[in-house]
Amino acid sequence: MKKIRNFCIIAHIDHGKSTLADRLLEFTKTVEGKELQSQVLDSMDLERERGITIKSHAVQMDYEFEGEKYTLNLIDTPGHVDFSYEVSRSIAACEGALLVVDAAQGIQAQTISNVYMAIEHDLEIIPVLNKIDLESAMPEEIEDQIIDLMGIPREDIIRASGKTGVGIEDILKAIIERVPAPKGDPNAPLQALIFDSVFNPFRGIIGYFKIENGSIRKGDHVKFINTGKEYDADEVGTLKLNMVPREEVQCGDVGYIISGVKTSKEVKVGDTITHVKRPAEKAISGFEEVKPMVFAGVYPIESEDFENLRASLEKLQLNDASLTFQPESSVALGFGFRCGFLGLLHMEIVQERLEREFNMDVITTVPNVSYRVYDKRGDMKEVHNPSGLPDVALIDHIEEPFIRASVITRTTYIGPIMTLCLGKRGELIKQEYISGDRIEIVFDLPLGEIVIDFYDKLKSISKGYASFDYHMHDYRSSKLVKLDILLNGEPVDALSTLTHIDNSQAFGRRMCEKLKELIPRQQFDIAIQAAIGAKIIARETVKAVRKDVTAKCYGGDISRKRKLLEKQKEGKKRMKQVGNVEVPQTAFLAVLKLD
């Protein structure tokens, strides 16, 4: 055990975590020859295309230091705020963390929140100043920022470059000297924390674990404490680039288990594995349940694909523990699922993975957040969907979730960012200068306002220089109304939203205008209306496609034309009673992108 080091790499998005991991794998000769490609650990096509890490990946490296062999378990983590749950799981399985900071960009919001997360778990943090080969690098200034943030001596900061390989030896040396070996009792009953799982169509569900106490052998009869299910460990082993089977995985090590589990509900991330004969007394604590921030309905385009969609979501949930879902039905879209996501990027990634990995074409409704609705009797009900709201006459008040958001930016962009936050009904809490021309602004914002386009707007007004991080703060009473969209007097529940009363009129008008462009013309007029309760606040009309029935009348009395037009009018009237309006998929997506 003294020769094992478990560590993860944490950083803000785009600060070079995956490239640094490549160099470490290359230097320790874990990856050689034709396997050597950039971003080795990003295994999904999606990750490579977008250049972001979505999943945390575990890999074991062997390294010889001062004549002794060490085993290093590295977990590479995502940097985007939507995947912070992946980071918290990786941190729970480690004793140390490499904190990577870009030498040109300095400390960003996500860097700070990841540092605090690592400190809470008592990890040994090794700061690494990455990308020092860039011409725009400012190593001295950024070292000052790291010292201010963590209060460590300057000589503890390692200067490195993931691209050229400078400083990689120093990093490996620091990991061995500064990261503590795992604490645990090899002779105690087995306790292993599951920190990730994947679905393999041939082998069932593969669980990744870190052993806190005891050890596990191939063929052991084991039990998962939270679910209470018992299995035989058909295969155990460690994770190199591919899985390497072993007879035994020791205390303190990170490995995998294949036990022929077929149903996804039986493996929970954060569960504890123990032996049936000599069980541990309690499960490992310190693993919080994920709290989804954004809710949206996901519906199959063909209603007979409902069961396939359920199976696809269950398999996806194994690989992405932060996805939650439950069945629901909609008048317009039939049967589907109400899914909870950590943010909009997360929602987009899930939608794309459903299409690529499972060939599922889905419709996603307007995303919204969960509200607390209090009725006149004082009872509280959580509502994730505008159609779940009780009658307006029974509602006493509605509370919406607020977040505490921290934005770090250059002083030049304070004005536009303030305007953006105040326009989203934000409340300024404090602003403080971090160093030179960098400032941290803290706002309380309603989650419903930032859910759709806040992050994109923030990036564009600050030319990419502002970084953003948030956590749930509290619930506050707000004047919210349900905005319905009616097509020919029929409400389309998939387009209804909860919005603040001040924004409702403008939002309703924009929605009607957008739908007018997107709904194809029919043989009859289509009225598109936005309504709050019984009050119509905006209307647009899609004009009918007309045939010129009087074309064949040449000269003659006006009454002949009148007769034909009256006949056509009757037909249109009859058609309007039976005609139903098809809403194209693009209309649902366009509503999300209303500026």
Side-chain angles (χ1 to χ4, degrees):
M1 265 180 73
K2 290 197 178 86
K3 302 283 187 298
I4 297 176
R5 299 286 183 272
N6 298 322
F7 68 100
C8 59
I9 301 184
I10 54 177
H12 189 76
I13 189 165
D14 267 351
H15 280 203
K17 293 177 293 299
S18 300
T19 315
L20 197 67
D22 290 350
R23 288 297 83 73
L24 290 170
L25 292 172
E26 192 184 334
F27 198 85
T28 55
K29 298 189 173 53
T30 310
V31 184
E32 289 183 288
K34 62 173 188 257
E35 286 180 337
L36 197 62
Q37 50 172 356
S38 61
Q39 276 90 30
V40 181
L41 294 179
D42 290 353
S43 48
M44 263 186 272
D45 294 343
L46 249 180
E47 295 183 307
R48 297 183 161 274
E49 280 168 29
R50 290 174 173 238
I52 55 175
T53 307
I54 295 168
K55 286 288 302 159
S56 48
H57 299 270
V59 62
Q60 190 178 78
M61 307 181 286
D62 294 318
Y63 182 59
E64 198 167 302
F65 178 69
E66 292 178 356
E68 297 197 15
K69 275 199 169 166
Y70 286 86
T71 302
L72 311 178
N73 289 311
L74 152 71
I75 304 181
D76 180 29
T77 62
H80 196 281
V81 60
D82 279 12
F83 305 112
S84 52
Y85 185 62
E86 291 278 331
V87 183
S88 74
R89 300 201 325 242
S90 310
I91 285 177
C94 295
E95 282 85 32
L98 288 184
L99 173 73
V100 179
V101 180
D102 187 323
Q105 294 182 15
I107 286 181
Q108 307 275 330
Q110 201 59 34
T111 320
I112 295 177
S113 74
N114 285 342
V115 166
Y116 289 152
M117 208 188 295
I119 290 172
E120 273 171 37
H121 284 80
D122 287 340
L123 297 198
E124 177 63 41
I125 300 173
I126 301 172
V128 176
L129 198 58
N130 195 20
K131 305 192 189 179
I132 58 160
D133 55 315
L134 292 181
E135 285 182 12
S136 57
M138 308 176 289
E140 300 296 327
E141 289 174 37
I142 290 167
E143 278 182 0
D144 292 340
Q145 289 179 19
I146 298 174
I147 293 164
D148 286 348
L149 175 69
M150 296 170 59
I152 50 166
R154 190 179 290 272
E155 56 272 15
D156 282 3
I157 302 172
I158 301 169
R159 293 189 182 186
S161 162
K163 198 172 181 182
T164 58
V166 177
I168 300 298
E169 273 190 71
D170 299 340
I171 292 175
L172 288 163
K173 182 179 173 211
I175 289 165
I176 289 167
E177 289 178 350
R178 282 150 67 176
V179 174
K183 299 178 186 69
D185 184 352
N187 304 317
L190 170 70
Q191 269 186 319
L193 172 77
I194 300 180
F195 66 88
D196 206 353
S197 57
V198 289
F199 179 78
N200 182 313
F202 307 108
R203 321 248 358 220
I205 289 159
I206 304 170
Y208 296 162
F209 59 77
K210 180 206 173 189
I211 300 185
E212 296 278 337
N213 293 309
S215 62
I216 186 168
R217 295 186 72 84
K218 186 178 171 181
D220 278 353
H221 194 45
V222 295
K223 169 173 138 183
F224 289 30
I225 293 182
N226 284 355
T227 53
K229 301 273 194 220
E230 299 181 4
Y231 305 100
D232 288 320
D234 300 336
E235 184 183 306
V236 294
T238 52
L239 300 152
K240 288 286 171 83
L241 253 195
N242 301 314
M243 297 186 288
V244 183
R246 292 274 175 90
E247 280 303 309
E248 181 177 28
V249 180
Q250 306 275 349
C251 179
D253 228 335
V254 173
Y256 70 92
I257 178 169
I258 300 176
S259 49
V261 186
K262 291 286 183 288
T263 49
S264 54
K265 289 192 181 71
E266 294 176 19
V267 178
K268 272 207 164 72
V269 167
D271 203 346
T272 305
I273 309 174
T274 187
H275 283 129
V276 174
K277 285 183 182 160
R278 192 171 154 227
E281 294 190 3
K282 62 181 196 317
I284 299 167
S285 61
F287 224 87
E288 70 258 22
E289 277 289 303
V290 57
K291 293 187 196 70
M293 295 278 190
V294 180
F295 296 87
V298 173
Y299 294 87
I301 288 178
E302 300 297 329
S303 52
E304 56 265 26
D305 286 344
F306 177 71
E307 281 305 321
N308 295 351
L309 181 59
R310 183 197 294 270
S312 307
L313 281 168
E314 279 178 356
K315 286 173 188 166
L316 195 56
Q317 195 177 29
L318 277 174
N319 199 283
D320 182 353
S322 47
L323 172 69
T324 57
F325 64 92
Q326 61 199 51
E328 71 162 5
S329 65
S330 142
V331 183
L333 301 171
F335 288 101
F337 293 93
R338 188 96 201 135
C339 297
F341 307 99
L342 294 179
L344 271 203
L345 177 69
H346 185 210
M347 174 172 133
E348 215 176 296
I349 297 288
V350 166
Q351 201 175 338
E352 251 183 84
R353 286 183 71 183
L354 281 172
E355 280 173 21
R356 289 186 186 206
E357 293 170 31
F358 305 101
N359 293 328
M360 292 296 313
D361 282 333
V362 292
I363 291 178
T364 318
T365 63
V366 183
N368 51 34
V369 297
S370 62
Y371 296 94
R372 290 179 179 173
V373 179
Y374 289 85
D375 60 17
K376 298 272 167 72
R377 288 188 302 228
D379 296 338
M380 192 269 286
K381 178 185 174 188
E382 273 215 354
V383 174
H384 301 303
N385 191 347
S387 59
L389 267 187
D391 191 353
V392 185
L394 302 173
I395 297 174
D396 182 53
H397 66 281
I398 303 176
E399 288 185 350
E400 64 174 334
F402 268 69
I403 57 161
R404 177 67 53 94
S406 142
V407 178
I408 293 183
T409 180
R410 296 200 168 164
T411 44
T412 15
Y413 304 116
I414 295 179
I417 289 174
M418 290 273 195
T419 314
L420 174 70
C421 293
L422 295 170
K424 298 278 185 192
R425 314 203 319 268
E427 197 180 299
L428 179 66
I429 302 300
K430 65 170 183 186
Q431 53 183 31
E432 54 184 78
Y433 286 87
I434 301 175
S435 65
D437 64 339
R438 290 159 57 79
I439 187 171
E440 180 183 20
I441 310 172
V442 179
F443 266 96
D444 278 357
L445 286 156
L447 182 60
E449 290 280 344
I450 68 151
V451 116
I452 294 184
D453 57 358
F454 180 82
Y455 194 64
D456 300 342
K457 281 189 175 169
L458 181 71
K459 279 287 176 209
S460 61
I461 62 176
S462 65
K463 302 191 172 57
Y465 276 114
S467 60
F468 170 65
D469 181 54
Y470 64 86
H471 57 265
M472 271 303 291
H473 192 54
D474 57 2
Y475 278 81
R476 299 181 193 179
S477 176
S478 293
K479 283 187 179 172
L480 297 168
V481 287
K482 181 182 170 194
L483 184 73
D484 286 315
I485 298 293
L486 312 175
L487 294 181
N488 277 348
E490 292 295 314
V492 183
D493 58 350
L495 291 173
S496 61
T497 49
L498 272 174
T499 175
H500 196 266
I501 198 155
D502 299 344
N503 306 345
S504 58
Q505 199 118 13
F507 187 66
R509 195 171 298 125
R510 286 210 311 269
M511 215 136 146
C512 290
E513 285 164 7
K514 197 80 178 171
L515 288 170
K516 183 184 177 181
E517 294 167 23
L518 295 164
I519 291 176
R521 290 168 71 183
Q522 314 274 348
Q523 295 277 338
F524 51 90
D525 280 2
I526 304 169
I528 305 168
Q529 294 165 313
I532 295 173
K535 182 183 170 195
I536 305 291
I537 56 169
R539 173 188 168 124
E540 293 285 335
T541 310
V542 178
K543 284 292 180 200
V545 182
R546 298 196 39 177
K547 179 184 172 191
D548 187 2
V549 285
T550 58
K552 62 183 183 224
C553 296
Y554 180 70
D557 190 15
I558 184 70
S559 57
R560 291 178 60 204
K561 289 186 180 178
R562 180 66 36 82
K563 183 182 159 192
L564 285 169
L565 289 166
E566 289 298 328
K567 193 174 167 188
Q568 185 189 31
K569 202 169 167 186
E570 283 300 311
K572 294 266 190 202
K573 203 169 176 182
R574 214 167 37 246
M575 191 185 279
K576 191 167 182 174
Q577 286 164 358
V578 293
N580 67 343
V581 185
E582 291 284 314
V583 184
Q585 158 78 18
T586 45
F588 293 106
L589 295 176
V591 171
L592 308 187
K593 297 191 167 62
L594 279 181
D595 47 344

